[in-house]
Each structure stands twice: as C-alpha cells, then as structure tokens.
Amino acid sequence: MRKIKVGVLGGSRGKTMMEYAEKSDDCELTAVCDFNGAVLSSLKEHFAEKGHEVALYDDFEKFLSGGVEAVVLANYANEHAPFAVRCMESGLHVLSEVLPVATLREAVLLADAAEASGKVYRYAENYCYSRAAREMTRLFRAGEMGEFEYAEGEYMHNCEGGWGELTQFSRSHWRNRMDAFYYSTHSCGPVLHATGLRPVSVTGFEVPYNAKTSRMGCAATPFAVEMVTLENGGLLKSLHGIAPSRNSVWFCMYGSKGKFESGREGVGKGTDEVTVSLDGVTGEGYKTYTPTDELSDLAEMYGHGGSDFFTMRNFMRAIRGETEDGIGLFEALDMHFVGHFAHISSINGGIPVAIPDFRDRAVREKYRGDTASVFRGDNDFAKNPVSRYPTPAYPDSLYENQRVAHEKTMRELAGNKAK
C-alpha cells in the first residue's frame, strides 16, 4: 500500500494526528507547519530523537508546495475555513478540526471550494467515535432502535483550571471571545452522525454569567442548551459549556423500538459503557456492556479515548475511495449550524430559528455576504452580541493576575522537581 503524504498545520493540537501518521501503514507524516517558533523547535527535537525526517515550516504557502497530498488543520479553532479553502484550491485533501467555519460566508466559500476541487473534506469531530457513540451509530443504522424520536447529548467541560494558559492570558484570544454556543458539535454531533438526520430548526438558551466565568474572564456564559428539531420531527436536546461546576459527557436516545444510553463521565466506565433496552436485543429488559469491535484495542493507543484514531483512519480511507464512516462537509456544517443559529435564537429571546441546508446552492447563496462572528476583531458587539446577558467588563488586571498565578505555579513545580 502506497502511503499518503500528510502535512499537519498546528503542532500542538496536531500531535495525535502526527502520532497516527507515524504509526500507521496508510500514510506518512512529511511536513508540519506552525507559526510559533518554540513549537517548531520542540518538534525538531522530537523528530530528531525518533529519527523521522519531517519538514518543518513557518510559512503556509511553502508548506503547501512541499509535496504533501493531504492536510490536517489543527490550528486555532476559529481559523480553519480559510486554510481549508486554500488547501483544496491547491489540490489537497483536508481534515479539519473543530470548528469548520467561523462565519456563514466562510461556510459558503468552503462549500464552493469543496465542490469545485473534488477533493476529500472530512471533519474531525472526534466525539462521534467514542465507544458509546460508535455503538449508538451501529445500533441505529442496523435498525435496532427503530424510528428516531428523541435524544440528549452532553459535553460539559469545567475549563477553569488552566484557562489562563489556554487563552495566553489575553482578553482577545479566541477562547475568550467565543459565545456559549460555538462548541456545540461535541454534544449534538454524535446524535446527528448516528441518525443521519438533518437539523431543521433550533431554539437556544443560556444561563447567566457566574463567579467561575468572572474568574476566567471569558465572554461566553457558563453553558448553553439547544432544543433542535430534526427533519423527521424528532427532537434533540444538546447541552454543553466551558464553565459548569463538574464535567459530564453523556448521550441518550429514544427510538420506536427502545432506548440507548451511554455511561456518564466520572461514573463507572463513562462513555466506554452503554445500557440498552431494545425490542430485538433485550426485549423489555436492560443490558449494560462495554462495546468492542476489531478496532477497539488499536484505537486505544491514540488520543481522546481512541476517537482521534477514527478521524484519521476515516480520512485516509476516504482519500483511497474505501468504505469509511467519516464526517463530510455538509454534515459538519449541519453540526456547526446547531450552535450558530442557537446563538441567534438566544440573543433574540429564545425564538425558534430555521437552520439552512447548504447542500442547496441557491440556499447558501443567500448567506454569501454574512460575515457576522464574535471572533472578528472588528465585530460590533452592539449588533452581534456575544450573549443575551450583558457581558461583564472584565478589568485588564484579571488577565495579568492569571499570568502571575501561572508563573508562580510553574516555579513551584520546577522547585519540587529539583528537590
């Protein structure tokens, strides 16, 4: 099997994708691009120790012309779309990390580029590939759940610890500018992927700012909820956030033939375990088990509980024209639009908002000029507010205090290691 030559943009988040390419028999890592000199220096040492010849770039255009065939975009989450478009214009396949786009105009341009180039685009929404999510997908597609009726998905991530380091102690960092709805694909994505149903409308809700968000200095409120209507009339509740008091990852689905439920993070085996009560599987009873298949053990060697393995494997198989279960462009946009339009719903008082289908060129053409995004440096927050609630006026000292506290912690850790 000839190995596909892969390049990675983003030397931090891209490490697990690099690891896949280093270990796999279907691709090889030939280049990495990052705009941070310290990251490139660290990678240079890493590859030298392993004896791997990998070209390192701080110039994206030179990276593109360096002989790669496929690019993994693991750069800042709000900057993926322009790089994806440039890759496909250059004749390269693309695997994009979350988020797919930051604006609806970017979504239009991305769809145009994918259709014009004919290149593979896959979305690395890895929460679709946990053990529980893969079993939910298998059972639904096998018809064991019957007709979809209702589901819930949760991705609650208490990010306060280390938030200052994540945001580089900067008010303008993308994580400190995002609204509470932008990270919805971890919670709604696995259900949309399992069912294949398109979301057609959404109502968004968010909770008020609290003491935790005040310490973090983020524009997003602690967490948000979307109530989504799917194309068959079924309902999906999607709950996610960056500042809850506890973490929770969990999925539940009701169909006409019974119920599926994953474990919860922190309880038992979490999303490595599922409980089902399905007419053709358990009858009226319940069965709790750890789902496994021929790839489970291999996947465990990779990041995010093995789910990063599947995003890369599906990408490689798609390029080769082999059977795969990756997330294509329009499915990625469906997942993202749940949050995008829920934000619009929330700031307008929680009204239902229709979700457009960008598969239809005439539909997406209506949004070609829509550049609204809280991530834009020139965003007018009076016209496009980050929340339905007044965003606190955080003092500059908050971010400086985060830096001071982090540096103190680093000194203490260094001192303990020296003892």
Side-chain angles (χ1 to χ4, degrees):
M1 179 190 301
R2 187 186 70 82
K3 292 187 175 183
I4 296 167
K5 295 180 180 180
V6 173
V8 174
L9 173 63
S12 295
R13 172 63 187 101
K15 286 180 180 177
T16 56
M17 293 79 163
M18 296 178 208
E19 182 183 14
Y20 177 93
E22 290 177 315
K23 293 179 178 178
S24 73
D25 60 359
D26 57 12
C27 66
E28 61 178 325
L29 180 68
T30 60
V32 178
C33 180
D34 200 287
F35 307 129
N36 185 315
V39 172
L40 289 179
S41 294
S42 175
L43 289 174
K44 183 177 181 179
E45 292 180 9
H46 169 78
F47 293 129
E49 289 176 1
K50 291 200 167 188
H52 292 167
E53 292 187 12
V54 178
L56 301 177
Y57 298 89
D58 60 6
D59 183 300
F60 187 68
E61 290 302 318
K62 291 181 179 178
F63 165 76
L64 290 184
S65 60
V68 298
E69 301 170 81
V71 174
V72 177
L73 298 177
N75 52 320
Y76 280 170
N78 61 317
E79 297 179 356
H80 292 147
F83 289 99
V85 170
R86 186 71 190 92
C87 287
M88 288 187 285
E89 288 176 344
S90 300
L92 305 176
H93 306 289
V94 172
L95 175 67
S96 175
E97 256 292 345
V98 177
L99 312 165
V101 299
T103 71
L104 294 177
R105 173 171 171 76
E106 286 186 355
V108 175
L109 296 177
L110 185 61
D112 289 348
E115 290 182 344
S117 70
K119 295 301 177 180
V120 169
Y121 176 97
R122 289 293 181 269
Y123 188 49
E125 178 39 81
N126 51 25
Y127 274 71
C128 294
Y129 303 105
S130 68
R131 285 179 183 261
R134 286 189 289 123
E135 183 70 349
M136 180 168 64
T137 298
R138 185 188 72 80
L139 289 169
F140 184 86
R141 293 180 184 175
E144 299 291 1
M145 296 190 199
E147 294 297 316
F148 173 82
E149 296 176 339
Y150 176 78
E152 297 186 26
E154 287 184 14
Y155 173 71
M156 297 288 270
H157 189 179
N158 177 9
C159 295
E160 183 178 5
W163 184 254
E165 184 179 10
L166 274 174
T167 57
Q168 300 172 7
F169 317 103
S170 171
R171 181 196 304 275
S172 62
H173 190 278
W174 69 267
R175 292 180 188 271
N176 274 333
R177 294 177 63 85
M178 69 181 180
D179 62 66
F181 295 93
Y182 259 92
Y183 237 85
S184 63
T185 65
H186 282 351
S187 50
C188 75
V191 175
L192 297 181
H193 187 61
T195 63
L197 295 171
R198 192 178 76 81
V200 296
S201 70
V202 62
T203 305
F205 308 92
E206 56 188 309
V207 301
Y209 294 95
N210 61 14
K212 186 183 292 290
T213 50
S214 294
R215 294 191 296 269
M216 294 166 68
C218 56
T221 58
F223 48 90
V225 178
E226 297 100 9
M227 289 300 301
V228 189
T229 300
L230 304 190
E231 60 185 313
N232 75 333
L235 296 176
L236 163 61
K237 173 191 167 187
S238 172
L239 171 66
H240 56 92
I242 60 169
S245 59
R246 298 291 186 276
N247 293 340
S248 177
V249 178
W250 174 76
F251 301 98
C252 178
M253 186 186 297
Y254 288 84
S256 59
K257 294 183 179 180
K259 175 189 175 185
F260 169 97
E261 184 171 3
S262 77
R264 284 187 181 272
E265 182 173 354
V267 179
K269 297 180 180 179
T271 54
D272 278 348
E273 189 172 76
V274 302
T275 298
V276 302
S277 179
L278 300 168
D279 292 348
V281 179
T282 64
E284 293 293 321
Y286 285 80
K287 177 183 178 182
T288 299
Y289 60 99
T290 298
T292 60
D293 58 31
E294 68 279 5
L295 294 173
S296 297
D297 291 340
L298 177 61
E300 290 298 326
M301 297 190 302
Y302 297 86
H304 289 89
S307 55
D308 284 339
F309 165 82
F310 290 97
T311 59
M312 283 293 289
R313 181 177 187 272
N314 285 326
F315 182 40
M316 293 302 113
R317 292 180 67 85
I319 293 172
R320 295 183 182 281
E322 299 170 351
T323 301
E324 46 93 26
D325 188 35
I327 300 165
L329 171 64
F330 295 111
E331 184 180 358
L333 293 180
D334 286 343
M335 292 179 185
H336 175 70
F337 285 169
V338 167
H340 183 96
F341 289 96
H343 173 228
I344 295 173
S345 168
S346 179
I347 62 178
N348 284 284
I351 61 172
V353 176
I355 298 176
D357 183 358
F358 269 37
R359 296 166 183 80
D360 186 329
R361 292 187 180 185
V363 169
R364 69 179 186 244
E365 191 62 34
K366 300 174 185 177
Y367 299 91
R368 187 172 293 276
D370 193 330
T371 60
S373 172
V374 295
F375 293 126
R376 287 184 52 168
D378 62 350
N379 179 58
D380 184 344
F381 285 95
K383 295 181 179 179
N384 183 39
V386 74
S387 171
R388 63 168 296 186
Y389 298 102
T391 305
Y394 301 121
D396 291 339
S397 59
L398 186 154
Y399 306 99
E400 181 58 26
N401 290 339
Q402 289 178 347
R403 180 191 301 278
V404 170
H406 172 72
E407 291 175 349
K408 179 183 177 182
T409 299
M410 292 297 100
R411 287 195 300 270
E412 291 174 349
L413 288 173
N416 291 335
K417 287 182 179 179
K419 290 179 180 178

